[in-house]
């Protein structure tokens, strides 16, 4: 077989990864090794009140936990970031520990980025409203340590999605910068098990999609193929059992798969999240659908569109997803069936019509938003669907 791999450059600098049951016990020593004394824990109210999560975290941090700032929300408001910065200054915190899902981790990154700046909330907010973007300060960032408890894959990231609310609606700003990568990350399956199953399932499909998108991204390379394929293998075996299995290795495989599928995805000059997320953004903005739920509905149909355009690298996806095929299945059909098995095993919705606040009359608008989403351009270089084709895909998911 001819070896025909295009030249590529790959530079990915993840934080230090700690994995394993009770690995959260190591966090105090990890902070001490970096001469860090005071850690501000950043999380949402529900996480902050989940004692079987917070107790091992507090024990792991020991005296280095100076305060728990449990005011993050799914809105990821810039105002919350600056509220957290006030707590940093009041407690002399020299590190931030983000705990929970993507919203809390994004806010934690924002606090770390702006903690040492002299710019006020009003100045930063005005800049976002005027320019539509959030410029990060040149000041030193506080080190951030992520303790994820969901599987959305927002932890190994150099991006932070933050929102500024205005009278005309929210403005989402997503700065991308190597400095936003967490200094350290703690993946403790015990802590994932404290997350309600419905929340975990909704996040899991989002992380799963990152592995799929990494493979057909225009920035894919053999290194990210390897981690994505292996990660998908773990997730393909674990996620359909996540709701029902008593075997502890199911959660362990699911967490490890979540780490692997996002490894190398978040790189400033080669960001690999693409087509599925473009659909997801449009559905969220039009109907207010939670992103994981939107992805559960759209992924099989988005793959159908991608494959119809002759894109998507189905043979490579099959290495991660397909365990056996019927003789009549094409590779593309087998991949889509495997995705359906994961989604159905997680108990997630399969049709847009079953979701609240959706309207078939607005599908054209969703298609237009999808076509204009910047993430669509990060898919395969030869993928160029028309708005009509995107609309047909959305109708197929109805």
């Amino acid at each position: 077989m001819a070896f025909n791999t295009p030249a590529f450059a790959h530079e990915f600098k993840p934080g230090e990864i700690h994995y394993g049951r009770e690995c959260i016990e190591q966090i105090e020593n990890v902070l001490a090794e970096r001469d860090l004394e005071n850690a501000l824990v950043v999380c949402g109210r529900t996480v902050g009140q989940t004692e079987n999560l917070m107790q091992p975290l507090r024990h792991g941090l020991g005296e280095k936990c100076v305060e728990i700032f449990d005011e993050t929300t799914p809105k990821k408001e810039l105002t919350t970031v600056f509220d957290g910065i006030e707590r940093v200054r009041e407690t002399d915190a020299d590190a931030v520990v983000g705990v929970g899902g993507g919203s809390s981790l994004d806010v934690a990154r924002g606090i770390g980025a702006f903690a040492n700046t002299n710019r006020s909330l009003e100045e930063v907010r005005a800049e976002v409203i005027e320019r539509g973007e959030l410029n990060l300060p040149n000041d030193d960032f506080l080190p951030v340590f992520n303790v994820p408890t969901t599987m959305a894959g927002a932890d190994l990231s150099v991006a932070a999605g933050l929102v500024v609310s205005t009278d005309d609606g929210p403005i989402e700003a997503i700065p991308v910068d190597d400095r936003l990568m967490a200094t350290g990350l703690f993946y403790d399956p015990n802590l994932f098990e404290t997350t309600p199953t419905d929340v975990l399932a909704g996040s899991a499909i989002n992380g799963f999609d990152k592995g799929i998108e990494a493979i057909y991204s225009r920035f894919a390379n053999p290194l990210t193929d390897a981690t994505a394929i292996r990660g998908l293998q773990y997730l393909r075996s674990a996620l359909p059992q996540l709701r029902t299995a008593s075997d502890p290795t199911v959660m362990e495989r699911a967490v490890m798969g979540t780490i692997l599928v996002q490894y190398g995805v978040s790189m400033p000059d080669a960001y690999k999240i693409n087509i599925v997320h473009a659909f997801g953004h449009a559905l969220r903005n039009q109907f207010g659908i939670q992103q994981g739920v939107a992805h559960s509905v759209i992924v099989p149909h988005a793959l159908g569109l991608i494959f119809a355009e002759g894109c998507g690298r189905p043979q490579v996806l099959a290495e991660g997803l397909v365990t056996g095929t019927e003789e009549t299945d094409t590779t593309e059909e087998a991949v889509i069936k495997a995705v359906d098995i994961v989604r159905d095993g997680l108990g997630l919705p399969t049709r847009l019509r079953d979701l609240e606040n959706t309207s078939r009359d607005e599908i054209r608008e969703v298609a237009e938003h999808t076509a204009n989403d910047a993430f669509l351009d990060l898919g395969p270089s030869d993928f160029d669907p028309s708005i009509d084709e995107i609309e047909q895909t959305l109708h197929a998911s109805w």
Side-chain angles (χ1 to χ4, degrees):
M1 180 182 294
F3 184 75
N4 185 25
T5 299
F8 68 92
H10 179 87
E11 183 178 13
F12 181 56
K13 300 175 182 177
E16 182 177 278
I17 295 172
H18 299 258
Y19 167 83
R21 291 189 181 273
E22 300 183 0
C23 72
I24 197 62
E25 294 291 331
Q26 305 168 22
I27 191 168
E28 182 178 16
N29 292 335
V30 170
L31 292 172
E33 288 168 1
R34 291 166 172 78
D35 296 322
L36 299 170
E37 297 295 334
N38 300 320
L40 178 75
V41 173
V42 175
C43 61
R45 189 62 52 85
T46 300
V47 167
Q49 294 177 350
T50 303
E51 191 59 23
N52 57 347
L53 164 59
M54 298 308 292
Q55 192 279 331
L57 176 66
R58 287 193 299 265
H59 184 266
L61 283 168
E63 294 182 356
K64 294 189 183 298
C65 179
V66 293
E67 186 173 334
I68 295 174
F69 174 71
D70 60 352
E71 298 181 17
T72 68
T73 72
K75 293 182 179 180
K76 302 188 288 187
E77 292 274 2
L78 186 64
T79 54
T80 310
V81 169
F82 277 81
D83 288 342
I85 290 171
E86 285 187 24
R87 302 294 181 85
V88 166
R89 293 169 180 169
E90 290 168 358
T91 59
D92 291 325
D94 55 7
V96 178
V97 177
V99 185
S103 299
S104 293
L105 303 188
D106 278 350
V107 170
R109 277 189 281 263
I111 292 171
F114 283 92
N116 291 323
T117 186
N118 291 323
R119 299 169 66 194
S120 68
L121 168 61
E122 290 72 24
E123 290 171 333
V124 178
R125 185 174 182 277
E127 178 187 85
V128 173
I129 292 172
E130 179 183 353
R131 301 181 183 178
E133 60 184 25
L134 179 61
N135 292 317
L136 298 175
N138 294 322
D139 309 273
D140 291 337
F141 288 13
L142 286 187
V144 174
F145 297 83
N146 284 340
V147 184
T149 62
T150 71
M151 298 177 178
D155 20 273
L156 272 173
S157 179
V158 295
L162 299 171
V163 172
V164 170
S165 293
T166 72
D167 293 338
D168 297 323
I171 301 173
E172 186 173 28
I174 309 177
V176 180
D177 192 299
D178 278 331
R179 295 174 295 166
L180 290 170
M181 174 61 71
T183 299
L185 302 102
F186 292 82
Y187 295 90
D188 188 332
N190 289 344
L191 303 188
F192 283 83
E193 288 173 348
T194 68
T195 302
T197 305
D198 285 345
V199 175
L200 206 56
S203 71
I205 197 71
N206 202 354
F208 177 69
D209 295 342
K210 286 183 170 64
I212 292 173
E213 291 188 307
I215 286 174
Y216 57 67
S217 161
R218 68 181 58 203
F219 300 115
N221 66 59
L223 299 180
T224 55
D225 282 353
T227 50
I229 290 168
R230 186 59 169 166
L232 288 173
Q233 289 170 349
Y234 278 122
L235 295 178
R236 170 66 178 81
S237 68
L239 293 187
Q241 305 177 64
L242 198 62
R243 285 184 177 272
T244 57
S246 57
D247 181 354
T249 65
V250 170
M251 180 63 75
E252 291 160 11
R253 291 200 311 275
V255 174
M256 180 52 66
T258 301
I259 299 171
L260 289 171
V261 293
Q262 61 179 314
Y263 195 89
V265 166
S266 184
M267 298 164 60
D269 297 324
Y271 210 61
K272 297 174 182 64
I273 294 172
N274 50 83
I275 297 164
V276 171
H277 278 74
F279 276 100
H281 292 163
L283 288 166
R284 181 191 63 196
N285 294 339
Q286 189 71 28
F287 300 131
I289 302 172
Q290 192 270 340
Q291 185 164 277
V293 173
H295 285 196
S296 73
V297 172
I298 201 63
V299 172
H301 303 283
L303 281 172
L305 174 63
I306 295 163
F307 293 155
E309 296 266 323
C311 308
R313 304 177 74 202
Q315 296 290 348
V316 181
L317 283 170
E319 292 182 46
L321 293 172
V322 178
T323 58
T325 61
E326 298 178 10
E327 291 184 6
T328 55
D329 283 346
T330 64
T331 302
E332 292 83 353
E333 290 168 340
V335 166
I336 292 173
K337 282 185 177 180
V339 171
D340 286 343
I341 289 170
V342 171
R343 179 200 60 199
D344 295 346
L346 288 169
L348 295 171
T350 62
R351 305 185 304 184
L352 283 178
R353 73 179 70 180
D354 296 330
L355 305 181
E356 290 185 8
N357 302 319
T358 56
S359 167
R360 197 163 194 173
D361 293 339
E362 298 176 40
I363 290 292
R364 182 68 180 187
E365 293 176 65
V366 178
E368 291 169 351
H369 287 309
T370 303
N372 291 322
D373 193 289
F375 279 22
L376 199 71
D377 295 332
L378 303 180
S381 56
D382 50 352
F383 179 72
D384 186 25
S386 67
I387 293 177
D388 287 345
E389 289 171 325
I390 294 171
E391 183 180 6
Q392 289 167 10
T393 301
L394 289 162
H395 279 297
S397 71
W398 181 254

